[in-house]
Amino acid sequence: MNSTETAGAVATSAQQKLIASLPPDFRWGVATAAYQIEGAVAEDGRTPSIWDTFCEVPWAIDNNDTGDVACDHYHRMPDDIALVKELEADTYRFSVAWPRIQPGGRGPVNPAGMAFYDKLVDELLEKDIAPWLTLYHWDLPQQLEDAGGWPARDTAYRFADYAMLVFDKLNDRVRHWTTLNEPWCSAMHGYVHGVMAPGKRDFAAGMAAVHHLLLGHGLATARMREAAPHDTEFGITLNMGTADPATDSAHDRDAARSADGLGVRIYLDPLVHGQYPADVVEDLAARGVKLPVEDGDLKIISAPLDFLGVNYYFGQQYSGVGEDGRTEDDQGLPAQRTVPFGKPTTAMGWEILPGKFTELLTRLGRDYPGLPMVITENGSAFDDLADESGFVRDEDRAAYLASHIAAVAAARLAGADIRGYFAWSLLDNFEWAYGYAKRFGLIRVDYETQQRTIKQSGYFYRDTVRRVRGS
Ligand code: FCB
């Protein structure tokens, strides 16, 4: 079925009006990440990353799924890029797998691994699609984890070396460079909550990881910028949401403040203002933790950025009073829990809150002015039902897109400097700890046959892009 005729009906007229306010030169992309789609984990010299190792831990991943094959993109790349073109996206956000470029995380470039991205970039440019390259989307070479991982300072320097290997090869063709994707997830889910690779549970290690991720970003940015042609742009992508107090009580307001501190300000304050937020430093001290900042680090971290990548999925409400009515947890630390707004959720259990997206973006524009933003990820998982041809009539996902693109337009009208929107994701893929159970794609992947089928939401996205462009 060609769903063009139904696509317009998904967005309400108020949303259509907002979306129509986006400028014709607004950037429209689709996003992926290396480990989630590539497969071919042992080919052409690639060594294991922390995700290969984590996938071997029994039940770390739903269904014990792994990224071994994923979408087999490594072998199907040109066909997948043809699909990006079919969606009429002008930008493709992808990540480079560090263990393909520099097996083991040190030493010279692995030409066979680099050749894949070299071809990918050429394929994109041939189709007039701008490559938007992310250097690190969570696949740390396992050997660097064995040497201490992100809690170790040396990893920041290793990252900058790796960045330069990629930059030297591709900077003649790639204009947009993102250092890190979502350092919050690397630090918190990886080293504190233990739900993502490398699966550690150590708060102090997580905070050291935050600082070294930021340091790695700064070191890499400085070196790339020095070697860059004039029109190259550098940025970082952060996942952010809103943190509201559940009530106006002092405990709830403090819980929201500290969540915002660890979620947003611990990254953006050093990046933009060159200092860690004082209240966060105090919260950490109360837990006996000090960020491992050395002289000169904050200057490196706050090197100018050309853009901020914003990944938004949901906002949260916080209470500083536990279910049991206590305001302290078992360790004597202030209680903190999330309280749902009571709105419908996606298949991830994430509440659908487009209004909070507008709030987040206007707040970022206000608190961190002068920094152009690009939405580098936004999207939704739903329990898709495919017909026998593989087609998915996912009005839920299309409606999510409509409300969230309208939310971006509303934030622009309120003054936030937002230059583009990239849908997560091009394809259904390996959704980290959820394995293949959660589908975020605009395009369905049948994992048995690797057949790709554009979903209704994919057509909706294409038609939205067409309308805004006036094409
Ligand atoms: C983000 C990740 C991305 C994807 C989406 C759903 O946190 O950056 O890889 O998993 O969530």
Side-chain angles (χ1 to χ4, degrees), residues 27-34 36-38 73-74 76-77 80-85 87-95 116-117 120-121 123-125 127-134 174 176 178 376 421-427 429 452 461:
R27 194 182 270 281
W28 295 99
V30 283
T32 62
Q36 294 182 275
I37 62 167
E38 287 178 359
H73 171 75
Y74 196 73
R76 296 163 191 266
M77 181 272 287
D80 289 340
I81 300 312
L83 289 167
V84 176
K85 192 73 197 169
L87 296 180
E88 297 183 27
D90 49 60
T91 302
Y92 177 57
R93 174 178 184 249
F94 64 97
S95 80
F116 173 73
Y117 300 102
L120 167 60
V121 167
E123 190 73 32
L124 289 166
L125 293 177
K127 295 204 151 54
D128 206 19
I129 300 165
W132 192 284
L133 187 152
T134 301
V174 176
H176 295 94
T178 301
T376 40
Y421 175 95
F422 306 165
W424 183 268
S425 180
L426 173 68
L427 304 168
N429 60 47
R452 275 78 159 136
Y461 190 65

Side-chain angles (χ1 to χ4, degrees), residues 32-33 36 93 137-138 181-182 185 196 237 239 311 313 348 350 377 379 424 429-432 440:
T32 62
Q36 294 182 275
R93 174 178 184 249
H137 200 126
W138 305 354
N181 176 71
E182 303 191 353
C185 285
M196 286 188 165
T237 279
N239 56 308
N311 290 359
Y313 290 93
M348 298 295 281
W350 298 342
E377 281 181 32
W424 183 268
N429 60 47
F430 176 77
E431 179 45 41
W432 308 112
F440 276 90

Side-chain angles (χ1 to χ4, degrees), residues 47 98-108 110 141 158 161-162 165:
T47 52
W98 187 346
R100 286 195 198 285
I101 301 301
Q102 198 186 32
R106 295 168 201 277
N110 167 35
R158 301 284 67 75
D161 284 355
Y162 149 69
L165 295 179

Side-chain angles (χ1 to χ4, degrees), residues 235-311:
I236 186 169
T237 279
L238 305 177
N239 56 308
M240 292 177 284
T242 46
D244 290 310
T247 72
D248 206 30
S249 77
H251 285 299
D252 289 1
R253 277 190 278 120
D254 200 54
R257 173 202 59 75
S258 88
D260 181 65
L262 279 189
V264 174
R265 290 179 290 112
I266 198 174
Y267 301 99
L268 276 176
D269 280 22
L271 285 164
V272 179
H273 303 318
Q275 55 188 18
Y276 283 108
D279 62 315
V280 173
V281 172
E282 251 175 60
D283 287 353
L284 296 186
R287 305 177 70 150
V289 173
K290 196 169 175 284
L291 293 164
V293 182
E294 295 189 9
D295 274 359
D297 285 1
L298 285 160
K299 190 152 191 289
I300 295 168
I301 292 170
S302 59
L305 290 171
D306 300 304
F307 63 86
L308 171 66
V310 178
N311 290 359

Side-chain angles (χ1 to χ4, degrees), residues 170-463:
L170 302 179
N171 86 74
D172 58 336
R173 285 157 289 156
V174 176
R175 299 275 72 93
H176 295 94
W177 293 78
T178 301
T179 51
L180 306 175
N181 176 71
E182 303 191 353
W184 182 92
C185 285
S186 299
M188 299 302 289
H189 281 343
Y191 292 98
V192 180
H193 307 142
V195 296
M196 286 188 165
K200 302 268 161 70
R201 289 170 202 263
D202 176 345
F203 185 76
M207 293 305 104
V210 168
H211 183 65
H212 297 139
L213 282 154
L214 289 172
L215 181 64
H217 154 83
L219 291 166
T221 303
R223 285 179 60 186
M224 292 190 290
R225 200 184 283 284
E226 210 193 320
H230 288 309
D231 59 345
T232 309
E233 296 195 3
F234 299 95
I236 186 169
T237 279
L238 305 177
N239 56 308
M240 292 177 284
T242 46
D244 290 310
T247 72
D248 206 30
S249 77
H251 285 299
D252 289 1
R253 277 190 278 120
D254 200 54
R257 173 202 59 75
S258 88
D260 181 65
L262 279 189
V264 174
R265 290 179 290 112
I266 198 174
Y267 301 99
L268 276 176
D269 280 22
L271 285 164
V272 179
H273 303 318
Q275 55 188 18
Y276 283 108
D279 62 315
V280 173
V281 172
E282 251 175 60
D283 287 353
L284 296 186
R287 305 177 70 150
V289 173
K290 196 169 175 284
L291 293 164
V293 182
E294 295 189 9
D295 274 359
D297 285 1
L298 285 160
K299 190 152 191 289
I300 295 168
I301 292 170
S302 59
L305 290 171
D306 300 304
F307 63 86
L308 171 66
V310 178
N311 290 359
Y312 172 84
Y313 290 93
F314 55 88
Q316 282 179 315
Q317 270 193 138
Y318 290 87
S319 172
V321 185
E323 303 266 12
D324 54 6
R326 291 172 56 204
T327 53
E328 284 186 354
D329 66 13
D330 293 342
Q331 289 144 47
L333 296 167
Q336 192 188 68
R337 69 186 166 103
T338 56
V339 179
F341 289 95
K343 298 284 187 207
T345 63
T346 67
M348 298 295 281
W350 298 342
E351 287 185 274
I352 302 173
L353 302 165
K356 292 292 165 192
F357 197 8
T358 307
E359 268 181 38
L360 170 72
L361 294 168
T362 44
R363 176 262 175 121
L364 294 174
R366 193 178 56 236
D367 290 355
Y368 304 97
L371 186 53
M373 291 182 270
V374 172
I375 311 309
T376 40
E377 281 181 32
N378 174 242
S380 54
F382 286 103
D383 295 327
D384 292 344
L385 277 179
D387 68 17
E388 38 329 321
S389 74
F391 182 72
V392 180
R393 194 184 275 275
D394 56 343
E395 282 188 15
D396 38 18
R397 188 176 288 102
Y400 182 99
L401 283 170
S403 61
H404 285 73
I405 295 170
V408 171
R412 268 189 93 262
L413 292 176
D417 182 4
I418 307 158
R419 308 281 176 92
Y421 175 95
F422 306 165
W424 183 268
S425 180
L426 173 68
L427 304 168
D428 290 337
N429 60 47
F430 176 77
E431 179 45 41
W432 308 112
Y434 297 90
Y436 298 99
K438 302 292 180 219
R439 293 175 177 271
F440 276 90
L442 299 185
I443 297 176
R444 177 167 180 92
V445 175
D446 176 330
Y447 293 112
E448 311 236 300
T449 61
Q450 292 292 350
Q451 181 187 300
R452 275 78 159 136
T453 310
I454 299 180
K455 301 179 192 177
Q456 181 177 345
S457 57
Y459 290 113
F460 171 77
Y461 190 65
R462 180 197 67 184
D463 292 353

